[in-house]
Amino acid sequence: MTNARDIMTPDATCVRSSETLVEAARKMVELDVGALPICGPDEKLKGMLTDRDIVVKAVAQGKDPGQCTAGDCAEGEIITVQADDSVERVLSVMSEHKIRRVPVIDEHVLVGIIAQADVARALPERQVGDLVETVSEDS
């Protein structure tokens, strides 16, 4: 049976909770990604930061992205999957929470991330279509 570890992108790069949104945006450009996990000084996952978060939670509100930190944007429940969770569990979590990417942890340590693109590369077209349709629906 395929598990999260089999389809994840390993070695996900974190943005530190103390890094500014400008630093986070530069990291996103450098890595060509639209989201980064937020890690605290204790190396624990604090949340996810998306390019949309930077725009909506800072820029559009007139806040200085050079002063706001990634930690300022970390809010709500942190949704993760375990590295040994089945792919069915991963799809269920992504669908239930309507998220396009999910951090993968192993004993509270971030080991990777699964995005819709990872799912598309690894799974049958029907499962991919079901996931895309579910997370794209309006709440």
Side-chain angles (χ1 to χ4, degrees), residues 5 19 26 31 37 44 47 72 76 93 106 109 122 126 129:
R5 190 183 309 275
E19 288 184 80
R26 286 183 181 138
L31 297 169
K44 289 190 178 177
D72 295 337
V93 167
D106 189 4
V109 175
R126 182 189 57 57

Side-chain angles (χ1 to χ4, degrees), residues 90-101 131 135:
V90 172
L91 293 175
S92 174
V93 167
M94 292 175 81
S95 294
E96 177 184 338
H97 296 281
K98 295 189 177 202
I99 53 177
R100 290 176 169 79
R101 53 190 75 78
L131 175 65
V135 299

Side-chain angles (χ1 to χ4, degrees), residues 55 71 73 77 100 122 131:
V55 172
C73 291
E77 181 184 5
R100 290 176 169 79
L131 175 65

Side-chain angles (χ1 to χ4, degrees), residues 17 21 37-39 45-49 53 57 69-78:
S17 57
L21 297 182
I38 304 169
C39 295
L45 190 63
K46 303 296 183 196
M48 289 289 292
L49 178 68
D53 290 333
K57 295 177 181 177
T69 66
D72 295 337
C73 291
E75 60 184 43
E77 181 184 5
I78 302 168

Side-chain angles (χ1 to χ4, degrees), residues 86-125:
S86 69
V87 168
E88 289 75 19
R89 169 86 176 120
V90 172
L91 293 175
S92 174
V93 167
M94 292 175 81
S95 294
E96 177 184 338
H97 296 281
K98 295 189 177 202
I99 53 177
R100 290 176 169 79
R101 53 190 75 78
V102 62
V104 181
I105 59 173
D106 189 4
E107 297 186 23
H108 305 290
V109 175
L110 180 70
V111 293
I113 195 160
I114 296 173
Q116 280 183 332
D118 298 312
V119 172
R121 281 190 291 273
L123 300 178
E125 198 172 298

